[in-house]
Amino acid sequence: MNLDDLTRTSGEWLRGAGPESDIVICSRIRLARNLATYPFTNRATRSDKTEIEREAKAALAKTSFQLEYLDVHALNPLDRQFLVERQLISRELMQSEGPRGVAIGPEENMSVMVNEEDHLRIQAVHAGLSLYDVWEQINLLDDQLEQQLDFAFSPQLGYLTACPTNVGTGIRVGVMLHLPALVQTREIEKVFRALHKINLAVRGLYGEGTQAFGDFYQISNQQTLGKSELELIKTLNDVIPQIIEYERRARKDLVDNRRQNLHDQVSRAYGVLKTAHQISSEETMHLLSSVRMGINLGLIDDLEIATVNELFIHTQPAHLQKIQGRHLEVDDRNEARAQYLRSRLSPGPDPRTN
Amino acid sequence: MREKCQRCTKPATYHITDIDGGKVREHHFCDEHARQHLSPQEETEQTGTTPTAAPASSKASSRAAKEPPAAEKRPCPYCQMTFAEFRNAGRLGCPHDYEEFRNELLPLLENIHDETRHTGKFPRRAPDSTERQTQMIELRKTLKQAIDVEDYELAARLRDQIRTLEQEAGR
Ligand SMILES: [Zn+2]
Ligand SMILES: [Zn+2]
């Protein structure tokens, strides 16, 4: 797999399709699995990890999912960061040591990390609210892997994981939402509190460092033991439409009561993104969030949601550096980011061909 | 001042300040939830790095400094991890640790998940057919609930899962 080719595309999950895609970016499920006959990754020796990787690679290659394996250990730091920005690997896998990798499926809908916190972290993602489809896919991949690998499993405790917070199903069901209106009207706190009460976790999506990432929030289960996968999925699937409804109502409120302010905010955001000559990552996220909402409310009509979604990823540091084909310090990145945004947002022929 | 963890009933030992979209937000968590919170969202789970924030309560630091009880120093015969080490690192050493430290882990599991019994997927190669039966019982119960609330999409999926299991049992 040539990572440079990926700089011109984005994963299917970012293309702004799927049910409720004005608010739901994507649905994601991961399963944590470990091979029964090795220590967990944190206690595994280098030769254990080599063996685990060998077994995993062989099993992954035999599935029907056309997964391509990337040796993360052999990648340079920029490429590792690039994979993190694309959400194909975790920061943990980026920063850890020793034999490890990731198998990536077509359109970036599936990925399997090897020698992360658990030996296997299987992940599937689709655009929009589509948890049951995602489950069907990942369950099938898990079945196929299990025909070749002995997973650590106990009848009472289920799939055994390095951290007891994942034991049982090993499942994390997550839905990523764009909630700019709830953030603006400050109603989001109420939503968070309600979700915590029913044992769901909410976290902001982070870009560089710990800066919040354009009003995106991921809602996911915390409990993994004592409920079936479908029960946990159903919990999420039942609650998400309510949050969508709150966000829609908050947007309608903004349109009804603050239309001029809203229009002004959206147009300024769009204007800055189209014309700036230096722009930080945080400001970009912040403005793109307004623009994204503006498109969904019909205040901007010459820009696709898919483009905005893609810009959230492509304006991150490793992406910019790979697009430019050279190393960039922070200041240079801010210039390169502004230049890239101008080229993608200005009308006329695609300046990328210049 | 003792504050409770905002996710569970344990005392909060970490006080974390997040800057979120320009807004400053205070969080109060127990060790477990602090670690969970500090690992960024799913796809960038940063679980390898345990929280660097210093425990705010002096109780937590003195507890960590104290000698662990003898039972917690018994190493797992396979990976040599002790329960005391697990307490510090938050990660177990090998699958057998769930057996080795069962008594110490069960209260923890109950605290985290409210449950101590797996009712989800079983590997198809799971040797014990009584387990398959328990799972069937559970699935049928969920199926009935799904039909009761007219969630036919879920019901259809559960029915498929039950059929698959039945076929395997008859194999
Ligand atoms: Zn807690
Ligand atoms: Zn062990």
Side-chain angles (χ1 to χ4, degrees):
Chain A
M1 174 180 294
N2 185 350
L3 288 185
D4 293 330
D5 291 344
L6 293 183
T7 59
R8 284 185 290 276
T9 66
S10 53
E12 179 276 340
W13 63 273
L14 266 177
R15 301 214 187 117
E20 319 286 1
S21 62
D22 54 333
I23 292 169
V24 182
I25 307 293
C26 64
S27 305
R28 211 179 269 277
I29 296 179
R30 78 96 156 99
L31 298 173
R33 298 288 186 256
N34 287 279
L35 305 192
T37 54
Y38 295 92
F40 293 133
T41 311
N42 68 87
R43 282 262 154 166
T45 62
R46 202 186 165 85
S47 68
D48 286 334
K49 289 190 198 176
T50 305
E51 281 303 296
I52 294 163
E53 188 183 37
R54 192 183 52 74
E55 282 196 36
K57 265 175 83 168
L60 288 162
K62 282 189 200 150
T63 67
S64 63
F65 286 82
Q66 299 173 279
L67 302 166
E68 243 189 285
Y69 192 80
L70 274 175
D71 180 352
V72 172
H73 184 58
L75 292 179
N76 65 45
L78 183 68
D79 283 341
R80 289 181 200 157
Q81 172 73 36
F82 177 79
L83 292 175
V84 171
E85 289 176 3
R86 277 186 109 75
Q87 308 196 357
L88 288 168
I89 69 171
S90 63
R91 280 179 203 279
E92 167 150 352
L93 196 79
M94 170 179 81
Q95 289 161 351
S96 65
E97 309 253 305
R100 62 195 192 281
V102 61
I104 300 169
E107 302 249 70
E108 301 176 37
N109 284 127
M110 311 283 290
S111 66
V112 183
M113 286 188 278
V114 176
N115 285 331
E116 214 253 18
E117 175 185 315
D118 295 296
H119 298 152
L120 298 182
R121 284 285 177 101
I122 310 169
Q123 197 169 227
V125 59
H126 276 289
L129 184 57
S130 46
L131 285 170
Y132 287 118
D133 292 339
V134 175
W135 167 245
E136 220 153 74
Q137 289 284 300
I138 200 168
N139 192 27
L140 186 61
L141 176 54
D142 183 49
D143 285 346
Q144 293 183 7
L145 289 172
E146 175 203 294
Q147 283 167 22
Q148 306 161 69
L149 300 169
D150 260 322
F151 289 147
F153 183 86
S154 123
Q156 193 200 332
L157 295 177
Y159 292 94
L160 304 177
T161 52
C163 182
T165 53
N166 296 318
V167 78
T169 53
I171 201 172
R172 188 76 81 233
V173 185
V175 177
M176 203 204 290
L177 302 169
H178 186 223
L179 304 173
L182 285 174
V183 172
Q184 256 182 54
T185 56
R186 299 182 184 270
E187 286 176 64
I188 195 129
E189 293 291 332
K190 267 187 271 170
V191 176
F192 287 0
R193 276 196 296 272
L195 290 170
H196 281 145
K197 263 184 212 146
I198 54 170
N199 224 345
L200 296 177
V202 183
R203 61 178 74 261
L205 186 59
Y206 294 96
E208 265 179 291
T210 56
Q211 274 135 13
F213 190 93
D215 305 322
F216 290 110
Y217 292 91
Q218 167 147 310
I219 305 192
S220 60
N221 66 303
Q222 308 202 76
Q223 185 185 1
T224 56
L225 182 63
K227 288 219 164 70
S228 71
E229 291 82 358
L230 283 170
E231 285 176 281
L232 292 166
I233 291 167
K234 182 171 160 39
T235 306
L236 260 287
N237 205 56
D238 286 351
V239 82
I240 298 296
Q242 298 174 41
I243 304 173
I244 294 173
E245 186 51 40
Y246 289 140
E247 170 68 18
R248 292 230 168 93
R249 220 178 288 162
R251 289 183 185 188
K252 188 172 178 307
D253 246 34
L254 290 177
V255 170
D256 289 350
N257 303 320
R258 301 184 41 218
R259 192 181 173 86
Q260 281 310 319
N261 286 342
L262 184 69
H263 207 156
D264 182 63
Q265 174 203 330
V266 167
S267 308
R268 279 169 187 267
Y270 196 21
V272 170
L273 290 169
K274 280 198 285 196
T275 56
H277 281 253
Q278 285 180 342
I279 191 163
S280 70
S281 181
E282 329 148 55
E283 188 180 3
T284 304
M285 301 301 156
H286 183 66
L287 298 177
L288 282 173
S289 176
S290 288
V291 167
R292 193 177 189 282
M293 177 168 64
I295 298 172
N296 283 325
L297 294 176
L299 301 172
I300 293 176
D301 55 12
D302 61 349
L303 188 58
E304 301 279 334
I305 282 287
T307 307
V308 178
N309 286 354
E310 188 169 280
L311 287 174
F312 276 106
I313 304 289
H314 283 196
T315 55
Q316 291 183 54
H319 272 78
L320 280 179
Q321 292 176 72
K322 285 187 76 70
I323 290 165
Q324 296 258 325
R326 64 196 172 97
H327 173 79
L328 298 168
E329 294 297 334
V330 175
D331 287 350
D332 300 330
R333 287 210 295 269
N334 290 345
E335 267 178 50
R337 184 176 294 113
Q339 190 196 339
Y340 180 70
L341 283 164
R342 290 200 308 275
S343 75
R344 293 291 303 271
L345 296 174
S346 63
D350 190 340
R352 276 183 296 172
T353 55
N354 286 354
Chain B
M1 186 188 83
R2 302 297 300 166
E3 213 161 351
K4 270 191 179 172
C5 170
Q6 59 194 64
R7 298 260 179 84
C8 69
T9 54
K10 283 190 272 182
T13 45
Y14 288 89
H15 305 284
I16 297 161
T17 309
D18 274 358
I19 300 171
D20 195 350
K23 268 192 292 178
V24 177
R25 194 174 293 153
E26 289 271 334
H27 298 282
H28 311 281
F29 294 118
C30 66
D31 301 25
E32 181 64 41
H33 285 113
R35 199 185 38 67
Q36 241 181 49
H37 175 81
L38 290 177
S39 23
Q41 44 93 47
E42 179 51 29
E43 40 288 324
T44 57
E45 250 177 17
Q46 206 164 15
T47 36
T49 49
T50 36
T52 46
S57 95
S58 53
K59 192 183 165 203
S61 14
S62 66
R63 188 192 58 203
K66 237 185 274 168
E67 272 293 284
E72 298 198 356
K73 290 196 289 186
R74 182 187 74 241
C76 160
Y78 297 95
C79 72
Q80 273 69 50
M81 180 167 275
T82 65
F83 195 72
E85 280 177 275
F86 161 71
R87 269 196 196 288
N88 285 327
R91 299 286 170 283
L92 291 162
C94 79
H96 179 73
D97 295 358
Y98 281 97
E99 196 52 51
E100 192 67 29
F101 307 128
R102 167 174 292 263
N103 294 338
E104 291 90 342
L105 278 172
L106 281 180
L108 181 69
L109 291 177
E110 181 136 31
N111 206 318
I112 302 171
H113 301 286
D114 291 329
E115 307 267 356
T116 55
R117 187 158 196 95
H118 177 61
T119 56
K121 184 171 179 175
F122 270 56
R124 296 193 180 194
R125 297 202 295 187
D128 192 350
S129 69
T130 62
E131 293 307 329
R132 187 168 285 147
Q133 286 166 13
T134 350
Q135 195 193 7
M136 294 278 264
I137 294 166
E138 195 63 34
L139 277 172
R140 291 209 175 91
K141 195 183 81 195
T142 320
L143 173 63
K144 189 181 170 300
Q145 288 165 352
I147 292 169
D148 285 347
V149 298
E150 303 186 345
D151 189 339
Y152 297 114
E153 191 184 3
L154 177 63
R157 281 166 206 268
L158 288 164
R159 193 163 292 149
D160 288 349
Q161 221 176 322
I162 290 168
R163 285 212 186 107
T164 313
L165 281 170
E166 281 169 347
Q167 279 162 11
E168 277 164 21
R171 193 168 60 191

